[in-house]
Amino acid sequence: MTAPAALDEFRAHCRAVLAEHAVPFHDRWEAEGIVDRSFWQAVGRAGLLGTGVPVEHGGGGEPGFRRTAVLSEELVRAGVTAPGIVAHNDVVASYLTARTTDEQKRRWLPGACTGELVAAIALTEPTGGSDLAGIRTTAVRDGDCYRLTGAKTFVTNGEHADLAVVAARTSDAPGTRGISLFVVERGTPGLHRGARLPTLGWRASDVGELEFDGARVPAANLLGREGAGAVALMGGLPRERLSIAAVALASAELALARAVEHARERHAFGNPIGALQHNRFTLATADTEVTIARVFVDHCIDALDAGQLTVTDAAKAKWWTTELQVRIADRALQLHGGHGYLDGSPAGREWLNSRVQTIYGGSTEVMKELIGRSLGL
């Protein structure tokens, strides 16, 4: 476990790096729908990428989740688009660390840590998302390569991605037993990038589409065993969902703090609007909910670091914190009134950013289904 003093030092470092390399440019990035490529290299040089990757492969050698949570909190605090870093650091880098051969580690991990290689994960298809068994992208063995055919959408880092973890069907086995994972690299013959997708929130997320027209992927880029892709994905989902929960909780805490400040400073009918009982009760409820969520997320972080975080608890953390983020963002916008509804206002931006959190990484409905099944229902 990382010592509190070391975490405080890391937090200050994150804050300084983001203040220099992200905050001054973020409005432009949001307008353009993508962050500058130089940002990835800057945060890589600063040691903010691959914190959990072993030192021998260029990472920080800190497999615990606390540093990841601190980085997420500082991204939120700085108003910087978080999903791209989360997808790269907490999803793809963790797969590449846990599921690759030594040769694959040497090829991909150092670049992912320096920011020279930007990573993405491509699961969702135009015809479906949460149902892995419904994946239609196929991979057919052809000598020393696989031919990938199909399409993926809503790929975070889709345009910048130098490598993408892609799920494809390698057999007709029922359910998810025929799913395999491949690392598809930039420049792969038959790989085409579709249009950048304009999103309501997190506008600099670089969300795009990938198309595979018989894309020739070397057999050496198979991630793990053929047919074991679903098992690998399920093993990584608790961490991915906790990453989303960390962003959601940090966002809810920030929105609440701003709402409380506004309630103290804004006056109506001769008094601060926080003196009105309805507003005071609304904020008291939100503060209680955030406090309880913080306790549970901290519990889940400890469980993950101990190798004991269950799929069920990760699902609980993901759906509860993301729905909480949406509720608090909505309450905060209501409290800010017309000023909050202005384009670019902090309250309005948070309101827009919050909405997708209950959708990606497994929707709230899917999370509740998982929890219900754990109850034997």
Side-chain angles (χ1 to χ4, degrees):
M1 180 181 295
T2 306
L7 284 178
D8 289 342
E9 183 178 344
F10 181 67
R11 184 182 298 279
H13 178 59
C14 291
R15 195 168 293 187
V17 170
L18 294 174
E20 179 180 357
H21 296 288
V23 174
F25 316 108
H26 200 263
D27 285 346
R28 174 172 60 80
W29 295 346
E30 290 234 315
E32 295 174 354
I34 192 170
V35 304
D36 288 341
R37 182 73 189 210
S38 59
F39 167 72
W40 287 98
Q41 296 160 1
V43 295
R45 287 193 303 270
L48 303 190
L49 300 179
T51 55
V53 173
V55 174
E56 59 267 30
H57 296 298
E62 290 279 351
F65 193 81
R66 290 288 173 186
R67 281 181 178 252
T68 293
V70 166
L71 177 56
S72 294
E73 290 163 5
E74 291 307 312
L75 286 165
V76 168
R77 177 187 174 278
V80 177
T81 297
I85 295 291
V86 170
H88 179 100
N89 255 4
D90 303 336
V91 182
V92 180
S94 63
Y95 282 122
L96 297 184
T97 300
R99 303 288 176 179
T100 46
T101 64
D102 289 342
E103 186 275 332
Q104 290 172 332
K105 286 181 173 66
R106 289 192 294 270
R107 268 200 289 154
W108 297 320
L109 285 175
C113 294
T114 62
E116 295 301 319
L117 296 179
V118 177
I121 186 163
L123 303 181
T124 300
E125 300 185 347
T127 56
S130 297
D131 181 15
L132 285 177
I135 284 178
R136 297 184 180 181
T137 298
T138 59
V140 178
R141 187 68 184 254
D142 181 13
D144 61 354
C145 75
Y146 286 84
R147 294 283 189 175
L148 265 64
T149 302
K152 301 292 182 177
T153 191
F154 303 131
V155 181
T156 301
N157 299 333
E159 188 167 328
H160 274 325
D162 299 292
L163 51 90
V165 175
V166 179
R169 184 167 291 282
T170 48
S171 79
D172 294 328
T176 60
R177 285 184 287 172
I179 303 298
S180 301
L181 298 180
F182 299 87
V183 175
V184 181
E185 299 171 278
R186 180 182 292 277
T188 296
L191 166 64
H192 308 288
R193 296 173 198 266
R196 192 185 306 161
L197 302 175
T199 55
L200 290 175
W202 297 123
R203 292 177 179 172
S205 289
D206 176 16
V207 177
E209 300 172 315
L210 298 178
E211 299 175 0
F212 309 97
D213 183 14
R216 188 179 178 86
V217 179
N221 284 23
L222 177 67
L223 197 58
R225 294 184 298 102
E226 187 175 300
V231 174
L233 290 172
M234 291 301 294
L237 282 176
R239 184 183 182 96
E240 178 182 352
R241 287 168 178 163
L242 187 57
S243 297
I244 296 172
V247 171
L249 179 55
S251 300
E253 289 173 334
L254 181 62
L256 175 59
R258 287 173 174 166
V260 170
E261 182 180 3
H262 181 75
R264 290 172 179 156
E265 296 177 352
R266 179 73 171 175
H267 283 65
F269 309 108
N271 291 296
I273 61 174
L276 298 171
Q277 187 183 70
H278 173 78
N279 291 338
R280 193 166 62 247
F281 281 14
T282 295
L283 293 171
T285 300
D287 185 62
T288 302
E289 291 174 329
V290 164
T291 300
I292 293 170
R294 170 57 67 187
V295 172
F296 185 61
V297 168
D298 282 347
H299 160 77
C300 288
I301 291 174
D302 288 340
L304 180 67
D305 286 351
Q308 298 172 354
L309 180 61
T310 65
V311 171
T312 301
D313 277 355
K316 290 177 182 178
K318 196 275 178 184
W319 90 257
W320 179 259
T321 56
T322 56
E323 293 288 350
L324 176 63
Q325 180 188 357
V326 170
R327 290 199 305 274
I328 291 182
D330 191 68
R331 294 172 191 172
L333 180 61
Q334 184 73 17
L335 194 68
H336 279 79
H339 295 285
Y341 197 64
L342 293 175
D343 187 27
S345 74
R349 182 173 289 180
E350 178 54 40
W351 185 64
L352 287 170
N353 289 347
S354 70
R355 194 59 188 86
V356 73
Q357 293 275 90
T358 66
I359 299 172
Y360 61 14
S363 67
T364 294
E365 293 76 15
V366 171
M367 298 301 96
K368 290 181 177 179
E369 181 68 19
L370 291 173
I371 297 163
R373 290 178 184 177
S374 76
L375 300 175
L377 300 175

